[in-house]
Amino acid sequence: MKNNNPRKTGGPPGKNKRGGSKFSMNRDPFFSNSKRRKKNVDEDIESEEEEDLDGGMSNGGGESGEEEEELAPEETAEEKRQRIAKVLVEKLRAREKELEDEEDEEGEREFEKEGERDSFVAKKLMQQQLEDSGRLRRAIASRVQKPGSVDGFEVLVKHRQSVTGVCLSDDDSKGFSASKDGMILHWDVESGKAEKYQWPNEEILRSHGTKNPEGRVTKHSRNVLALAVSTDGRYLASGGLDRHVHLWDTRTREHIQAFPGHKGPVSCLTFRQGSSELFSGSFDRSIKIWNVEDRAYMNTLFGHQSEVLTIDCLWQERVLAVARDRSMQLFKVHDESRLIFRSSTSSLECCCFIDNSEFISGSDDGNIALWGVQKKKPVYIVKNAHALSTDVNSGELKDNGRNYSGHIAASWVSSVGACRGSDLAASGAGNGSVHLWTIEGAGKGIQPLHDLPLIGFVNSLAFAKSGKFLVAGVGQEPRLGRWGHNSAARNGVAIQRLKLL
C-alpha cells in the first residue's frame, strides 16, 4: 500500500513526486507557496522596522515625535479646571493692579501690596463661589432707588403681536424676544437695535428634523410660546404650537435643528446654566431633556397630571416646574426623584429659582408664594399681590367671561423673575404695574419694594445679573390665551433702568 502522506515520506509539502492524485497537496496553492509567503511576510515586516529605525535615526526622531504628539493624552477635566482657575486668578490680579492708583517704589511696600492684592482676590473668589452655590445672597434690594415719574419703563423693541418670552445673554449685553406671530428678535440692550430671525421654508425644516404636523393643520405654526438662550450665548431655543423645539445659532441667526417628540404645544424652555442641557415643558404633561451640542434627545421626566406651564433651572441638575394640576415639582434628574409642592386653593402659573434652596411662584388668584425645599407648603404668601383696579391706567380691559375664584385674567400673576443669588424679585400681571419685592433671608417672607407702572399683560420678566435693569415682555393679550385684552397696551419689550446706591 502506497503512502501519499508527505510527512511520512520525509519530503516537504509541495515536493512529493507522487502527488498525482486529484487530492494531492501539491496542487494546493496554500501548501505549495507557504514558505515563499512566510518569507515575504517576514521580509515585509523586517523592512518596515528597518525603515522606521532608519527614518528615526536620519530624521532625528521627527516622525516618532509626531506620533508622540498624536498619542499625547488629552486634557483631563481636573487639568481643565485648574487651567481655567489660573486664568481667572490672573485676570482678577491684573484688574486689581490697574485699579491701584498709588505706586510705591520701596520693595517692602510693593510686597505688602502684592500680599493684600492676593488676599483680596481670594476673598472675591470665595464670595463668588458662595453666591453661585446659593449659600450667600447679595443685598441688592436695599440699594435700589425708587424710580421717579419720568424714570419708568421704556419701550425698547416693538412687536406686532403680544410678546410671549424674553431672555438675556449671560453678559447682559444682548436680549431675545418672541411673539405670538412667530417673530423672534435679537436686540442690543443699550441701543435697542434689533435683528430678525428668518424662519426657513418647509423643506429645510423637514431636513432639520421636523415631522409633519398632526390633525387638521397643514403647515407648522409659527406661534412661539417660549424662549431660552444658553449660558455661552451660542444657542437660542424656541418652542410653540407646532410641538417642536427649534434650535437657532445666535451668531448667524439661522435655524440649525428641530427636536420633535412632544405631543402637545411646547409651553416653556430653560437651559441648565453652564451646560448644553436644554429642558422643554409641554401641554402633554412631560418635560424632555435635550443635548444641544450633540443634537440629541436624552430623557423624559413625568409627574405632572396636567399641562406644564413654566420651568426653571440653575447650575445643578434640578428642574422646577409648575402645571395646572395645582402643584409645583422639583425634579432631581441625577437621583431620578422629585419633590412635590402643592397649592391648596389655586392653580400655579409661573415659578422662578431664587437660589438652590428657595423659589417663588405666582398663581391665578393673584397670590405670590415663597417656598423652601424643606417644606411642602409655602413659607410665606402675599395675597392679592396684583389687585385689579377699576380703571387700568385708562386702558380698556375686556374679559371674555373666564373667571376663577372671582378674579379675572388681569389680576393673575403671569410672570415672576429674580435676580440670581440676590434678594431682589419682581412679578407681573395685567393690572397695569410690575411689583418689585425684597426676599428676606431664612424664609422670613416677602416685602413690597416699589411699583413700576406698565400697561398691558406682562408675560415674561428677566433681570440683569448686576440688578441694574429689568426687561419685560408686554402684550395686549395673555401669553397662553386670549381670554383678556387691553387695547391700550403696546406689544413689545420694555426696559426699566434701576439705579443702585
Side-chain angles (χ1 to χ4, degrees):
M1 184 176 178
K2 296 180 180 181
N3 187 3
N4 292 329
N5 191 342
R7 295 183 179 178
K8 291 186 178 181
T9 57
K15 299 292 184 180
N16 186 13
K17 296 180 181 179
R18 296 183 180 182
S21 63
K22 62 180 181 179
F23 298 101
S24 174
M25 290 183 290
N26 292 338
R27 298 180 181 180
D28 194 326
F30 179 82
F31 290 98
S32 61
N33 299 325
S34 61
K35 284 188 175 181
R36 192 188 313 165
R37 289 175 65 254
K38 186 175 181 181
K39 185 177 181 180
N40 292 338
V41 172
D42 293 340
E43 289 176 355
D44 292 340
I45 292 174
E46 290 176 0
S47 63
E48 288 178 2
E49 291 177 354
E50 290 175 358
E51 287 177 1
D52 291 340
L53 292 174
D54 295 341
M57 295 294 292
S58 61
N59 298 331
E63 294 180 359
S64 60
E66 293 178 359
E67 292 179 358
E68 289 179 359
E69 290 181 359
E70 293 177 357
L71 299 177
E74 296 182 357
E75 187 181 27
T76 62
E78 183 65 26
E79 292 173 349
K80 185 177 181 180
R81 283 194 292 267
Q82 290 180 1
R83 177 174 56 82
I84 295 175
K86 289 180 181 179
V87 173
L88 180 60
V89 170
E90 291 299 328
K91 285 184 179 179
L92 289 175
R93 284 178 176 173
R95 189 181 303 171
E96 293 301 324
K97 195 172 183 178
E98 291 177 357
L99 294 177
E100 291 181 356
D101 298 328
E102 298 179 359
E103 295 182 357
D104 197 345
E105 297 180 355
E106 297 181 2
E108 184 178 356
R109 178 56 183 164
E110 186 175 353
F111 177 79
E112 291 178 0
K113 284 187 176 181
E114 290 290 339
E116 292 175 359
R117 187 185 304 119
D118 290 344
S119 62
F120 182 79
V121 169
K123 291 180 180 179
K124 196 169 185 178
L125 289 173
M126 182 64 70
Q127 182 179 0
Q128 184 177 357
Q129 194 273 336
L130 293 174
E131 291 176 356
D132 292 340
S133 62
R135 288 179 288 178
L136 181 63
R137 185 170 295 176
R138 294 178 294 165
I140 295 181
S142 58
R143 298 165 52 198
V144 178
Q145 298 183 14
K146 184 177 181 179
S149 57
V150 183
D151 303 329
F153 273 100
E154 301 175 2
V155 177
L156 190 65
V157 180
K158 295 181 180 180
H159 281 262
R160 288 194 295 267
Q161 293 188 17
S162 298
V163 175
T164 55
V166 294
C167 56
L168 295 171
S169 61
D170 194 57
D171 58 357
D172 297 332
S173 62
K174 299 290 183 180
F176 307 87
S177 58
S179 57
K180 288 186 176 182
D181 58 355
M183 180 183 293
I184 301 176
L185 295 180
H186 178 174
W187 33 270
D188 184 80
V189 173
E190 294 296 331
S191 63
K193 183 180 179 181
E195 297 174 343
K196 184 179 179 181
Y197 282 64
Q198 296 292 338
W199 282 91
N201 55 37
E202 293 294 325
E203 183 178 356
I204 296 178
L205 284 175
R206 283 193 295 268
S207 66
H208 287 177
T210 58
K211 294 184 178 180
N212 293 329
E214 301 175 0
R216 299 179 181 179
V217 183
T218 58
K219 64 178 182 178
H220 289 278
S221 173
R222 297 290 187 267
N223 193 325
V224 179
L225 298 178
L227 209 62
V229 62
S230 60
T231 306
D232 57 5
R234 291 179 55 192
Y235 300 104
L236 179 70
S238 66
L241 296 183
D242 66 346
R243 307 178 181 182
H244 287 74
V245 177
H246 296 277
L247 196 63
W248 306 79
D249 190 340
T250 59
R251 295 166 294 185
T252 60
R253 301 187 305 280
E254 293 181 353
H255 187 278
I256 55 179
Q257 186 68 33
F259 297 125
H262 280 295
K263 298 181 180 179
V266 179
S267 57
C268 46
L269 293 166
T270 185
F271 276 93
R272 184 163 77 93
Q273 296 183 12
S275 74
S276 59
E277 290 184 12
L278 172 66
F279 299 88
S280 61
S282 170
F283 281 11
D284 63 3
R285 302 176 294 177
S286 69
I287 298 173
K288 293 187 181 296
I289 309 175
W290 316 87
N291 190 306
V292 297
E293 288 288 350
D294 300 335
R295 315 284 199 271
Y297 159 81
M298 296 179 62
N299 197 4
T300 302
L301 306 176
F302 296 99
H304 281 290
Q305 303 300 317
S306 186
E307 298 93 337
V308 180
L309 301 180
T310 309
I311 57 177
D312 194 19
C313 183
L314 294 179
W315 292 90
Q316 298 181 356
E317 280 190 298
R318 294 185 176 187
V319 187
L320 185 68
V322 297
R324 284 185 175 148
D325 55 2
R326 297 187 179 184
S327 73
M328 177 168 53
Q329 300 189 19
L330 180 63
F331 293 88
K332 300 179 180 179
V333 180
H334 181 72
D335 300 334
E336 296 183 354
S337 62
R338 57 193 172 100
L339 300 176
I340 302 177
F341 308 89
R342 299 194 180 277
S343 176
S344 58
T345 60
S346 60
S347 175
L348 300 176
E349 292 289 321
C350 51
C351 65
C352 179
F353 270 111
I354 299 173
D355 50 35
N356 291 323
S357 60
E358 290 185 342
F359 34 89
I360 58 176
S361 67
S363 57
D364 61 2
D365 61 355
N367 294 347
I368 295 176
L370 175 65
W371 306 75
V373 294
Q374 303 297 331
K375 295 184 179 180
K376 293 186 177 181
K377 292 184 179 181
V379 177
Y380 192 85
I381 299 177
V382 180
K383 293 186 178 181
N384 201 15
H386 288 264
L388 180 66
S389 58
T390 55
D391 184 12
V392 184
N393 289 350
S394 302
E396 182 183 2
L397 183 68
K398 298 179 181 179
D399 182 45
N400 294 336
R402 175 157 182 160
N403 298 330
Y404 187 78
S405 300
H407 297 270
I408 65 174
S411 63
W412 292 9
V413 181
S414 54
S415 60
V416 291
C419 186
R420 304 293 191 189
S422 72
D423 59 350
L424 181 62
S427 63
N431 68 330
S433 64
V434 174
H435 294 343
L436 296 181
W437 306 91
T438 301
I439 308 297
E440 297 182 349
K444 293 182 180 179
I446 305 175
Q447 300 299 328
L449 186 61
H450 301 303
D451 290 345
L452 309 175
L454 183 60
I455 303 174
F457 289 90
V458 182
N459 296 322
S460 182
L461 290 170
F463 266 107
K465 274 191 172 182
S466 60
K468 293 183 178 180
F469 63 88
L470 170 68
V471 293
V474 191
Q476 296 181 352
E477 300 172 349
R479 180 174 73 99
L480 299 176
R482 293 183 173 178
W483 46 78
H485 186 80
N486 189 346
S487 58
R490 300 173 63 183
N491 298 322
V493 178
I495 184 171
Q496 173 68 57
R497 312 283 181 179
L498 300 178
K499 297 180 180 180
L500 304 180
L501 294 175

